[in-house]
């Protein structure tokens, strides 16, 4: 099945072009994540899944142009047919969380069937000197991991993983030094400071590439290129395997546009061996 034929992709297409409220974006995000189940859910079940009220689901359906949720569900059964997900059976909550994360990775694989957005992002990031990488709170680890590896192949990577009044100053400094793009990792719960910083970065002339948990995330409106990768929500704290993997895919795409990437890696290996840096 191609990415354009998947239930998630057809749902995504249904929502595009509509101005949705934050609550409605939350419903849309939940529907995309559970695309196989949604055509079989009642409005009450969808409300529970999204963590909103049942009237919010009804208003969401009306916002999409339907008479109500029953009409939306009938439409979903026509355009996004799918079998109900198999019963979790005897799986415990930890196994279910892992299975949900595996499903997130499957959705990411479907999205990458069209490599053009990632390839475009790779070109933008490779060309930016320096390259600021932003990630606050829950996304700080993703930004740190990307910046750690990117610094091995990119001549000037600047990690922005702490908020505060200096953040805009560091954006200004990157622009003065010649930066043309900024990479942001944005995960729930989305700090208002991230949205404000991305807006500031765009006003400063930077092209914003964002890895976010959903195409309907609050950062979408302040991003020039948004690459979605869902997070797992089955445990007390969200899991972010898909965003992390997408970050590594972006690194690969960036390396493809850095002619000296391979020689830089080989140089690092030689120096690491000389220093006895690693035990293996």
């Amino acid at each position: 099945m191609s990415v354009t034929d998947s239930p998630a992709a057809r749902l995504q297409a249904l929502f595009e072009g509509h101005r949705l409220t934050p609550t409605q974006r939350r419903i849309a995000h939940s529907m995309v994540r559970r695309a196989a189940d949604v055509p079989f859910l009642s409005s009450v079940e969808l409300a529970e899944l999204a963590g909103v009220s049942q009237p919010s689901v009804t208003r969401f359906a009306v916002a999409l142009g339907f008479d109500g949720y029953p009409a939306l569900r009938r439409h979903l059964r026509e355009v996004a047919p799918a079998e109900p997900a198999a019963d979790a059976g005897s799986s415990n909550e930890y196994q279910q969380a892992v299975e949900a994360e595996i499903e997130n990775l499957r959705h990411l694989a479907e999205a990458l069937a069209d490599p053009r957005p990632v390839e475009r992002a790779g070109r933008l990031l490779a060309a930016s000197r320096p390259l600021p990488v932003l990630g606050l709170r829950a996304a700080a680890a993703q930004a740190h991991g990307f910046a750690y590896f990117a610094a091995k192949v990119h001549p000037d990577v600047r990690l922005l993983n702490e908020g505060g009044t200096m953040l805009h100053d560091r954006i200004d400094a990157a622009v003065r030094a010649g930066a043309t793009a900024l990479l942001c990792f944005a995960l729930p719960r989305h700090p208002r400071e991230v949205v404000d910083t991305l807006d500031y970065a765009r006003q400063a002339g930077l092209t914003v590439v964002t890895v976010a948990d959903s195409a309907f995330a609050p950062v979408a409106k302040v991003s020039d290129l948004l690459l979605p990768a869902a997070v797992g929500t089955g445990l007390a704290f969200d899991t972010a395997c898909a965003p992390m993997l997408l970050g590594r895919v972006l690194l690969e795409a960036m390396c493809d546009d850095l002619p000296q990437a391979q020689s830089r890696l080989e140089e690092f290996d030689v120096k690491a061996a000389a220093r006895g840096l690693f035990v293996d």
Side-chain angles (χ1 to χ4, degrees), residues 171-215:
I171 295 290
D172 289 338
V175 171
R176 286 195 299 270
T180 54
L182 176 146
L183 173 62
C184 174
F185 288 87
L187 302 177
R189 299 174 67 185
H190 294 277
R192 184 181 303 277
E193 188 173 16
V194 171
V195 177
D196 293 341
T197 299
L198 294 187
D199 184 44
Y200 184 84
R202 292 179 78 193
Q203 292 182 37
L206 295 179
T207 299
V208 172
V209 177
T210 302
V211 173
D213 58 300
S214 166

Coordinates of all heavy atoms in Angstrom, one line a residue, residues 171-215:
I171 N 19.4 33.3 18.3 CA 18.8 33.2 16.9 C 19.5 34.4 16.1 O 19.9 34.2 15.0 CB 17.3 33.4 16.9 CG1 16.6 32.2 17.6 CG2 16.8 33.6 15.5 CD1 16.7 30.9 16.8
D172 N 19.5 35.6 16.7 CA 20.1 36.7 16.0 C 21.6 36.5 15.7 O 22.0 36.8 14.6 CB 20.0 38.0 16.9 CG 18.6 38.5 17.0 OD1 17.7 38.2 16.2 OD2 18.3 39.2 18.0
A173 N 22.3 35.9 16.7 CA 23.7 35.6 16.4 C 23.9 34.6 15.3 O 24.8 34.8 14.5 CB 24.3 35.1 17.7
A174 N 23.0 33.6 15.2 CA 23.1 32.6 14.1 C 22.9 33.3 12.8 O 23.5 33.0 11.8 CB 22.1 31.5 14.4
V175 N 21.9 34.2 12.7 CA 21.5 34.8 11.5 C 22.7 35.7 11.1 O 23.1 35.8 9.9 CB 20.2 35.7 11.6 CG1 20.0 36.6 10.4 CG2 19.0 34.7 11.8
R176 N 23.3 36.5 12.0 CA 24.4 37.3 11.7 C 25.6 36.5 11.2 O 26.4 37.0 10.3 CB 24.9 38.1 12.9 CG 23.9 39.3 13.3 CD 24.6 40.2 14.2 NE 25.0 39.6 15.5 CZ 24.2 39.5 16.5 NH1 23.0 40.0 16.5 NH2 24.6 38.9 17.6
A177 N 25.7 35.3 11.7 CA 26.8 34.4 11.2 C 26.6 33.8 9.9 O 27.5 33.1 9.3 CB 27.1 33.3 12.3
G178 N 25.4 33.9 9.4 CA 25.1 33.4 8.0 C 24.0 32.2 8.0 O 23.8 31.7 6.9
A179 N 23.4 31.9 9.1 CA 22.4 30.8 9.1 C 21.3 31.2 8.1 O 20.8 32.3 8.0 CB 21.9 30.6 10.5
T180 N 20.8 30.1 7.4 CA 19.6 30.3 6.5 C 18.5 29.4 6.9 O 17.4 29.6 6.4 CB 20.1 30.0 5.1 OG1 20.6 28.6 5.1 CG2 21.1 31.0 4.6
A181 N 18.7 28.4 7.8 CA 17.6 27.5 8.2 C 17.8 27.1 9.7 O 18.9 27.3 10.2 CB 17.7 26.2 7.3
L182 N 16.7 26.7 10.2 CA 16.7 26.2 11.6 C 15.9 24.9 11.7 O 14.9 24.8 11.1 CB 16.1 27.3 12.5 CG 15.9 26.9 14.0 CD1 16.0 28.1 14.9 CD2 14.5 26.3 14.3
L183 N 16.5 24.0 12.4 CA 15.8 22.7 12.6 C 15.2 22.7 14.0 O 15.9 23.0 15.0 CB 16.7 21.5 12.5 CG 16.1 20.1 12.8 CD1 14.9 19.8 11.9 CD2 17.2 19.0 12.8
C184 N 13.9 22.4 14.1 CA 13.2 22.3 15.4 C 12.6 20.9 15.7 O 12.0 20.3 14.8 CB 12.1 23.4 15.5 SG 11.1 23.3 17.0
F185 N 12.8 20.4 16.9 CA 12.1 19.2 17.3 C 11.0 19.7 18.3 O 11.3 20.4 19.3 CB 13.0 18.2 18.0 CG 13.9 17.5 17.1 CD1 15.2 18.1 16.7 CD2 13.6 16.3 16.5 CE1 16.0 17.4 15.8 CE2 14.4 15.6 15.6 CZ 15.6 16.2 15.3
A186 N 9.8 19.4 18.0 CA 8.6 19.9 18.8 C 7.7 18.7 19.2 O 7.1 18.1 18.3 CB 7.8 20.9 18.0
L187 N 7.7 18.5 20.5 CA 6.9 17.3 21.0 C 5.9 17.8 22.1 O 6.2 18.8 22.7 CB 7.8 16.2 21.6 CG 8.8 15.7 20.6 CD1 9.7 14.7 21.3 CD2 8.2 15.0 19.4
P188 N 4.8 17.1 22.3 CA 3.9 17.5 23.4 C 4.5 17.3 24.7 O 5.4 16.4 24.9 CB 2.7 16.6 23.1 CG 3.2 15.4 22.3 CD 4.4 15.9 21.6
R189 N 4.1 18.1 25.7 CA 3.3 19.3 25.5 C 4.1 20.4 24.9 O 5.2 20.6 25.3 CB 2.6 19.7 26.9 CG 1.8 18.5 27.5 CD 1.3 18.9 28.8 NE 0.4 20.0 28.8 CZ -0.1 20.6 29.9 NH1 0.3 20.1 31.1 NH2 -1.0 21.5 29.9
H190 N 3.5 21.1 24.0 CA 4.2 22.1 23.2 C 4.4 23.4 24.0 O 3.4 24.1 24.3 CB 3.5 22.4 21.9 CG 3.5 21.2 21.0 ND1 4.5 20.9 20.2 CD2 2.5 20.2 20.8 CE1 4.3 19.8 19.5 NE2 3.1 19.3 19.8
P191 N 5.6 23.8 24.4 CA 5.8 25.0 25.1 C 5.5 26.2 24.2 O 5.8 26.2 23.0 CB 7.3 25.0 25.4 CG 7.8 23.6 25.3 CD 6.9 23.0 24.2
R192 N 4.8 27.2 24.8 CA 4.5 28.4 24.0 C 5.8 29.1 23.5 O 5.8 29.7 22.5 CB 3.7 29.4 24.9 CG 3.3 30.6 24.2 CD 2.5 31.6 25.2 NE 1.4 30.9 25.8 CZ 0.2 30.8 25.3 NH1 0.0 31.3 24.1 NH2 -0.8 30.1 25.9
E193 N 6.9 28.9 24.3 CA 8.1 29.5 23.9 C 8.7 29.0 22.6 O 9.3 29.8 21.9 CB 9.2 29.3 25.0 CG 10.5 30.1 24.9 CD 11.4 30.0 26.0 OE1 11.2 29.1 26.9 OE2 12.3 30.8 26.1
V194 N 8.4 27.8 22.3 CA 8.8 27.2 21.0 C 8.1 27.9 19.9 O 8.7 28.2 18.9 CB 8.6 25.7 21.0 CG1 8.9 25.1 19.6 CG2 9.6 25.0 22.0
V195 N 6.8 28.0 20.0 CA 6.0 28.6 19.0 C 6.5 30.1 18.7 O 6.7 30.5 17.6 CB 4.5 28.6 19.3 CG1 3.7 29.3 18.2 CG2 4.0 27.2 19.4
D196 N 6.7 30.8 19.9 CA 7.2 32.2 19.8 C 8.5 32.3 19.1 O 8.8 33.2 18.3 CB 7.2 32.8 21.1 CG 5.8 33.0 21.8 OD1 4.8 32.9 21.0 OD2 5.7 33.1 23.0
T197 N 9.4 31.3 19.5 CA 10.8 31.3 18.9 C 10.8 31.0 17.4 O 11.5 31.7 16.7 CB 11.7 30.3 19.7 OG1 11.7 30.7 21.1 CG2 13.1 30.3 19.1
L198 N 10.0 30.1 17.0 CA 9.9 29.8 15.6 C 9.4 31.0 14.8 O 9.8 31.3 13.7 CB 9.1 28.5 15.3 CG 9.6 27.2 15.9 CD1 8.8 26.0 15.4 CD2 11.1 27.0 15.5
D199 N 8.4 31.6 15.3 CA 7.8 32.8 14.7 C 8.9 33.9 14.6 O 9.1 34.5 13.5 CB 6.6 33.4 15.5 CG 6.0 34.5 14.8 OD1 5.8 34.5 13.6 OD2 5.7 35.5 15.5
Y200 N 9.7 34.1 15.6 CA 10.8 35.0 15.6 C 11.8 34.6 14.6 O 12.4 35.5 13.8 CB 11.4 35.1 17.0 CG 12.5 36.2 17.1 CD1 12.2 37.5 17.4 CD2 13.8 35.9 17.0 CE1 13.1 38.5 17.5 CE2 14.8 36.8 17.1 CZ 14.5 38.1 17.3 OH 15.4 39.1 17.4
A201 N 12.2 33.3 14.5 CA 13.2 32.9 13.6 C 12.8 33.1 12.1 O 13.6 33.5 11.3 CB 13.4 31.4 13.8
R202 N 11.5 32.9 11.8 CA 11.0 33.2 10.5 C 11.1 34.6 10.1 O 11.5 35.0 9.0 CB 9.6 32.6 10.3 CG 9.5 31.1 10.4 CD 8.1 30.7 10.2 NE 7.6 30.7 8.8 CZ 6.3 30.6 8.5 NH1 5.4 30.5 9.4 NH2 6.0 30.6 7.2
Q203 N 10.7 35.5 11.1 CA 10.8 36.9 10.9 C 12.2 37.4 10.7 O 12.5 38.3 10.0 CB 10.2 37.7 12.1 CG 8.7 37.5 12.2 CD 8.1 38.3 13.4 OE1 8.6 39.4 13.7 NE2 7.2 37.7 14.1
A204 N 13.2 36.6 11.3 CA 14.6 37.0 11.1 C 15.1 36.4 9.8 O 16.3 36.7 9.5 CB 15.4 36.4 12.3
G205 N 14.3 35.7 9.0 CA 14.7 35.3 7.7 C 15.1 33.8 7.6 O 15.6 33.4 6.5
L206 N 15.0 33.0 8.7 CA 15.3 31.6 8.7 C 14.2 30.8 8.1 O 13.0 31.1 8.3 CB 15.7 31.1 10.1 CG 16.9 31.8 10.7 CD1 17.1 31.2 12.1 CD2 18.2 31.5 9.9
T207 N 14.6 29.7 7.4 CA 13.6 28.7 6.9 C 13.5 27.7 8.0 O 14.5 27.1 8.4 CB 14.0 28.1 5.6 OG1 14.1 29.1 4.6 CG2 13.0 27.0 5.2
V208 N 12.3 27.5 8.5 CA 12.1 26.6 9.7 C 11.7 25.2 9.2 O 10.6 25.1 8.6 CB 11.0 27.2 10.7 CG1 10.7 26.2 11.8 CG2 11.6 28.5 11.3
V209 N 12.5 24.2 9.6 CA 12.2 22.8 9.3 C 11.8 22.2 10.7 O 12.6 22.3 11.6 CB 13.3 22.1 8.7 CG1 13.0 20.6 8.6 CG2 13.7 22.7 7.4
T210 N 10.7 21.6 10.8 CA 10.2 21.1 12.1 C 9.8 19.6 12.1 O 9.1 19.2 11.2 CB 9.0 21.9 12.6 OG1 9.3 23.3 12.7 CG2 8.6 21.4 14.0
V211 N 10.4 18.9 13.0 CA 9.9 17.5 13.3 C 8.9 17.6 14.4 O 9.3 18.0 15.5 CB 11.1 16.6 13.6 CG1 10.6 15.2 14.1 CG2 12.0 16.4 12.5
A212 N 7.7 17.2 14.2 CA 6.6 17.4 15.2 C 5.8 16.1 15.3 O 5.9 15.2 14.4 CB 5.7 18.6 14.9
D213 N 5.1 16.0 16.3 CA 4.3 14.7 16.5 C 3.1 14.7 15.6 O 2.5 13.6 15.5 CB 3.8 14.7 18.0 CG 3.0 15.9 18.4 OD1 3.5 17.0 18.3 OD2 1.8 15.7 18.8
S214 N 2.7 15.7 15.0 CA 1.5 15.7 14.1 C 1.6 16.9 13.2 O 2.2 18.0 13.5 CB 0.3 15.8 15.0 OG -0.9 16.1 14.2
A215 N 1.0 16.7 12.0 CA 0.9 17.9 11.1 C -0.1 18.9 11.6 O -0.2 20.0 11.1 CB 0.3 17.3 9.7

